[in-house]
């Protein structure tokens, strides 16, 4: 019987050939993936669908409830001030004279720049005069519409901007702190890679990154954040292909609309357009140098430098960005000093809007799939809040008077719809006792059984037939 033979050990040359073949196959796969996937589409220019209540509109001869107007400012995070000069996002009320620093508001590609307006009310709340900051007469004043919670599952919240609409100091701040040689490399900055490697060796830890803006965009759009050598190879290949297919301006614009800059509840704040609104209550075209430096500084760690939770860290990070800009000759020493001494200027965060969610879902269901839109509704937010409070109070009173109705498995529900009697516009809609528990809208989706005619309908008298 022949003895078993041991498998032969492959030679060193065979092992090297096998490794080279495996590496070649892997590189072909990486290059093929880059050629197929590394391209920009129009999705980054599509805004999140937004729903708004009907905005306050002032005209001479219309009546305004000052208490309701104050509640409107409270919900939108406006500050009441006694200063002689009213800034953006502030208001002043003095003996019937309201001075309002309207915030800018963007609808699609049209920008309402906002600005200071004055509204004069008499003792009964009737509008007797409207003027701008230069005291010129105005025929009409429209305030910022109040947002409703975006229907559907939480996700990214973005307001796309074109590169031409972003102020130059914001672009300079981002490039200064994230990729100062952006316009000189082809997607990969070799000198930066070497410098980062040396810095990491000196500190014996990962202290400095070497990813260019193009690489960061590739990672955010096409790859995961998991670090591995193969992911880095894929990132490098896609960055090179992306630079070949798109201009620097296109890549930078996509990056400014994609970067993660914070969290608004369950919604991720994406892009500088939404971040300018979220942090400062401004359109991105109106942010100043200090605000631009803060936004650029947030890119590295929106949670580490969140100005509402870590103001000292945010100020230090802003100073670092301004120092980089000064060292690169992008700002003067005077601008650096003014920027570092400026207050953060973060808008006062309004309470999370929970009203009108049944109505927002109702409007979204009637729209169908029409892309990302800005939708202005007929909802009156003051009436909506009052309607929801009335439903809650009514159910509580009913359960108190009839304890047998209190059931954990099937609680009492109610619905309410308020209409404008002249136009038929929906002013308020409540679809149940608690939207957080059930999103089923009983005002529009529930099927009702008609009761017996004798119990609900008036019996008209029978008249004898005409002879």
């Amino acid at each position: 019987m022949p003895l078993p033979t041991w498998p032969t050990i492959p030679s060193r040359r065979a092992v090297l050939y096998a490794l080279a073949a495996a590496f070649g196959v892997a590189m072909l796969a990486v290059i093929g993936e880059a050629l197929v996937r590394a391209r920009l589409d129009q999705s980054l220019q599509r805004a999140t669908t937004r729903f708004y209540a009907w905005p306050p509109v002032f005209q001479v001869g219309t009546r305004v409830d000052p208490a309701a107007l104050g509640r409107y400012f409270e919900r939108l995070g406006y500050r009441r001030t006694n200063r002689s000069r009213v800034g953006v996002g502030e208001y002043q009320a003095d003996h019937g004279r309201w001075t309002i620093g309207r915030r800018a508001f963007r609808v699609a590609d049209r920008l309402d720049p906002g600005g200071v307006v004055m509204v004069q009310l008499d003792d009964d709340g009737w509008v007797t005069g409207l003027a701008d900051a230069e005291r010129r007469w105005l025929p009409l004043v429209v305030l910022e519409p109040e947002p409703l919670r975006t229907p559907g599952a939480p996700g990214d919240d973005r307001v796309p901007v074109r590169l031409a609409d972003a102020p130059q100091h914001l672009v300079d701040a981002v490039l200064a702190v994230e990729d100062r040689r952006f316009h000189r490399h082809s997607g990969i900055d070799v000198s930066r890679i070497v410098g980062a490697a040396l810095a990491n060796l000196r500190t014996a830890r990962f202290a400095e990154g070497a990813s260019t803006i193009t690489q960061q965009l590739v990672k955010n759009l096409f790859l995961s954040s998991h670090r591995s050598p193969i992911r880095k190879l894929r990132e490098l290949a896609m960055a090179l292909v992306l630079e070949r297919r798109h201009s620097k301006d296109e890549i930078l614009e996509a990056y400014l609309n994609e970067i993660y800059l914070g969290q608004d509840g369950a919604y991720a704040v994406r892009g500088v357009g939404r971040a300018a609104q979220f942090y400062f209550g401004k359109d991105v075209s109106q942010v100043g140098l200090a605000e631009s430096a803060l936004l650029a500084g947030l890119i590295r760690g929106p949670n580490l430098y969140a100005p509402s939770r870590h103001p000292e860290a945010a100020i230090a990070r802003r100073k670092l960005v301004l120092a980089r800009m000064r060292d690169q000759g992008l700002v003067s020493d005077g601008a650096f000093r003014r920027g570092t001494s400026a207050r953060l200027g973060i808008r006062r965060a309004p309470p999370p809007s929970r009203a009108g969610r049944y109505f927002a879902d109702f409007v979204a269901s009637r729209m169908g799939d029409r892309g990302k839109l800005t939708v202005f509704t007929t909802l009156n937010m003051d009436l909506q809040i009052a309607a929801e409070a009335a439903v809650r109070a009514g159910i509580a009173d009913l359960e108190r008077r009839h304890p047998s109705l209190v059931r954990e498995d099937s609680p009492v529900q109610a619905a309410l719809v308020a209409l404008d009697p002249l136009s038929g516009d929906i002013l308020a809609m409540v679809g149940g006792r608690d939207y957080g528990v059930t999103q089923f809208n009983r005002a529009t989706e529930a099927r009702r059984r008609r009761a017996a005619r004798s119990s609900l309908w008036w019996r008209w008298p029978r008249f004898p037939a005409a002879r």
Side-chain angles (χ1 to χ4, degrees):
M1 181 175 179
L3 294 175
T5 58
W6 294 99
T8 58
I9 299 175
S11 65
R12 182 180 299 177
R13 179 176 298 178
V15 171
L16 292 178
Y17 284 160
L19 291 176
F23 180 76
V25 171
M27 289 304 298
L28 287 175
V30 168
I31 295 172
E33 180 192 32
L35 292 173
V36 172
R37 298 184 61 193
R39 65 179 72 248
L40 300 176
D41 56 27
Q42 297 300 315
S43 61
L44 297 179
Q45 286 296 340
R46 296 179 191 143
T48 305
T49 297
R50 298 181 178 280
F51 293 81
Y52 294 91
W54 193 252
V57 178
F58 301 122
Q59 285 181 292
V60 173
T62 58
R63 195 170 188 177
V64 176
D65 180 1
L69 188 57
R71 291 192 295 270
Y72 159 84
F73 288 129
E74 178 71 20
R75 291 194 299 269
L76 265 72
Y78 277 68
R79 292 184 179 90
R80 184 164 184 170
T81 180
N82 293 321
R83 297 184 303 169
S84 58
R85 183 175 180 180
V86 175
V88 174
E90 298 178 337
Y91 73 97
Q92 184 184 102
D94 183 20
H95 301 293
R97 186 191 190 115
W98 292 70
T99 306
I100 306 165
R102 295 169 60 244
R103 295 193 292 227
F105 181 73
R106 183 177 295 274
V107 181
D109 290 334
R110 187 180 66 84
L111 175 66
D112 181 341
V116 176
V117 296
M118 288 173 282
V119 180
Q120 184 67 48
L121 307 179
D122 64 14
D123 294 339
D124 295 323
W126 294 96
V127 178
T128 58
L130 300 170
D132 61 12
E134 284 74 33
R135 300 184 182 276
R136 293 174 298 195
W137 176 81
L138 295 174
L140 182 76
V141 168
V142 181
L143 297 187
E144 176 185 357
E146 192 165 348
L148 305 177
R149 173 55 69 193
T150 301
D156 293 342
D157 190 5
R158 69 177 85 235
V159 177
V161 297
R162 293 176 300 184
L163 186 60
D165 294 332
Q168 187 60 44
H169 48 248
L170 174 59
V171 176
D172 290 342
V174 171
L175 295 180
V177 75
E178 291 298 320
D179 190 356
R180 63 188 181 92
R181 282 188 287 270
F182 172 72
H183 289 287
R184 299 198 296 272
H185 63 65
S186 59
I188 301 172
D189 191 346
V190 178
S191 61
R192 186 177 180 183
I193 292 174
V194 174
L198 294 176
N200 295 336
L201 286 175
R202 283 195 300 268
T203 58
R205 63 184 179 89
F206 188 79
E208 185 175 333
S211 294
T212 64
I213 279 179
T214 311
Q215 290 175 253
Q216 294 180 47
L217 180 62
V218 164
K219 183 189 70 174
N220 292 339
L221 291 180
F222 310 117
L223 304 173
S224 69
S225 57
H226 176 69
R227 290 180 178 176
S228 67
I230 189 64
R231 196 221 74 180
K232 198 65 179 179
L233 282 175
R234 295 165 65 200
E235 177 186 299
L236 295 174
M238 288 187 181
L240 291 172
V241 172
L242 203 65
E243 289 266 356
R244 296 283 294 177
R245 286 178 171 167
H246 298 278
S247 68
K248 288 288 187 179
D249 285 352
E250 290 174 332
I251 292 172
L252 184 56
E253 182 176 278
Y255 177 78
L256 293 177
N257 285 314
E258 170 59 24
I259 47 177
Y260 170 70
L261 289 171
Q263 200 73 24
D264 180 12
Y267 292 83
V269 176
R270 290 278 180 186
V272 296
R274 178 68 185 111
Q277 292 182 354
F278 178 69
Y279 289 110
F280 309 119
K282 295 181 178 181
D283 186 79
V284 69
S285 62
Q286 298 180 322
V287 297
L289 173 62
E291 295 162 335
S292 295
L294 180 59
L295 291 180
L298 286 172
I299 297 174
R300 182 179 179 184
N303 297 321
L304 294 174
Y305 307 110
S308 57
R309 299 195 303 272
H310 310 293
E312 292 86 3
I315 291 174
R317 181 65 178 168
R318 182 184 67 179
K319 183 177 181 179
L320 173 64
V321 175
L322 289 169
R324 294 266 184 96
M325 297 178 71
R326 180 195 58 188
D327 295 343
Q328 296 172 29
L330 299 173
V331 297
S332 64
D333 290 338
F336 169 78
R337 289 191 296 270
R338 289 190 296 271
T340 53
S341 62
R343 62 188 183 95
L344 283 176
I346 302 300
R347 71 177 177 92
R348 185 175 63 83
S353 175
R354 301 180 61 85
R357 291 183 291 175
Y358 282 112
F359 179 71
D361 288 350
F362 167 72
V363 176
S365 67
R366 295 302 185 271
M367 287 172 51
D369 186 11
R370 300 189 182 181
K372 305 300 184 180
L373 303 172
T374 301
V375 182
F376 296 92
T377 71
T378 58
L379 196 75
N380 183 305
M381 188 57 81
D382 246 22
L383 290 180
Q384 177 66 36
I385 294 173
E388 294 183 6
V391 166
R392 289 192 298 268
I395 291 177
D397 181 63
L398 186 65
E399 291 178 336
R400 184 172 56 253
R401 289 188 289 109
H402 302 280
S404 61
L405 295 176
V406 180
R407 291 177 293 181
E408 292 293 334
D409 58 335
S410 181
V412 174
Q413 297 288 348
L416 185 152
V417 178
L419 303 177
D420 186 317
L422 297 178
S423 64
D425 293 341
I426 298 176
L427 303 178
M429 175 184 288
V430 185
R433 66 187 292 164
D434 189 348
Y435 181 90
V437 174
T438 171
Q439 291 78 52
F440 181 73
N441 191 339
R442 289 157 185 85
T444 60
E445 300 175 33
R447 298 184 63 183
R448 298 165 181 80
R449 291 182 298 177
R450 179 172 294 180
R453 184 179 180 89
S454 60
S455 63
L456 291 180
W457 296 91
W458 173 264
R459 289 183 175 275
W460 290 96
R462 293 181 177 275
F463 294 101
R467 295 183 181 273

